[in-house]
Amino acid sequence: MTSASADEPVLVVGLGNPGPRYVANRHNVGFLVVDELAARVGGKFKAHKAGAEVLECRLGGRRAVLAKPRSFMNVSGGPVVGTARFYKIDPAQVVVVHDELDLPYAAVRLKLGGGENGHNGLRSISKSLGTRDYLRVRFGIGRPPGRMDPADFVLRDFSATERKELALSVDHCADATEALVSKGLEAAQNLFHAR
């Protein structure tokens, strides 16, 4: 991402599940972050034929397409690759914002490529794009308590304690996403991984 010009668009995808039942789930934090980015640019999402809600905007001085797949999380790949192809965006310019079990609550980490850590949304995207080499913005949700199945944990709402900090944490994650888009991976990591 560091060598991309301001004219080369970037696709920022927030992951989640559609519908009111899932709105406040931990698994939907990607949607919350791209909603915050949309609010910052004063834009509204529109339905796109690729199977996503999209918003064309400028983010950190760059042309950007914000997207929320309208499919369920486990089949996010189709809408993501369809949107990327429509806007002629290379996988290296795709940024996926998602929940991460292996980070403590509200920790934000940025990376390029790597495994999917059992995240079915990422697995679907990697398969559809034909590569794991896309950017990730990982929002920590922590590990499930006791012996709770991680699949159940991610589909639960944030706890009352977590909700108190959620708006601030989403805002911080949106800042990190903007920095990634405008400054590149290494500079954004230097800014946000020190915290």
Side-chain angles (χ1 to χ4, degrees):
M1 175 139 312
T2 46
S3 62
S5 75
D7 292 334
E8 187 176 3
V10 58
L11 173 61
V12 180
V13 179
L15 292 189
N17 284 308
R21 178 181 162 196
Y22 302 100
V23 168
N25 286 181
R26 292 180 176 92
H27 226 17
N28 273 40
V29 75
F31 278 6
L32 297 179
V33 173
V34 294
D35 283 342
E36 168 59 25
L37 292 171
R40 290 180 181 189
V41 299
K44 292 211 182 316
F45 286 95
K46 293 183 173 69
H48 191 275
K49 65 182 181 182
E53 301 285 324
V54 302
L55 167 61
E56 295 178 57
C57 62
R58 291 197 85 76
L59 200 60
R62 283 195 59 191
R63 282 176 57 214
V65 178
L66 304 180
K68 298 190 292 184
R70 288 200 314 262
S71 65
F72 282 95
M73 172 77 81
N74 294 357
V75 288
S76 300
V80 171
V81 79
T83 305
R85 281 184 184 146
F86 180 86
Y87 288 101
K88 299 179 172 57
I89 297 171
D90 188 81
Q93 302 303 319
V94 172
V95 177
V96 178
V97 185
H98 65 91
D99 57 302
E100 176 60 68
L101 286 163
D102 289 336
L103 290 173
Y105 174 69
V108 174
R109 291 293 178 267
L110 311 167
K111 73 174 193 172
L112 170 65
E116 289 96 9
N117 287 1
H119 195 296
N120 290 327
L122 293 178
R123 191 175 289 135
S124 174
I125 291 167
S126 298
K127 186 176 178 191
S128 295
L129 286 175
T131 181
R132 289 177 168 174
D133 291 334
Y134 53 90
L135 293 150
R136 291 92 179 279
V137 178
R138 304 156 68 213
F139 183 106
I141 60 169
R143 300 297 306 179
R147 295 186 175 176
M148 184 189 290
D149 183 346
D152 292 333
F153 180 69
V154 298
L155 293 175
R156 295 253 171 108
D157 289 357
F158 285 100
S159 70
T161 306
E162 290 168 338
R163 281 198 299 274
K164 286 179 188 165
E165 301 291 322
L166 187 58
L168 203 61
S169 302
V170 166
D171 195 55
H172 176 71
C173 191
D175 288 345
T177 307
E178 276 202 69
L180 176 61
V181 168
S182 61
K183 301 176 189 304
L185 179 60
E186 193 175 338
Q189 284 174 329
N190 290 339
L191 281 172
F192 287 88
H193 287 195
R195 295 183 187 187

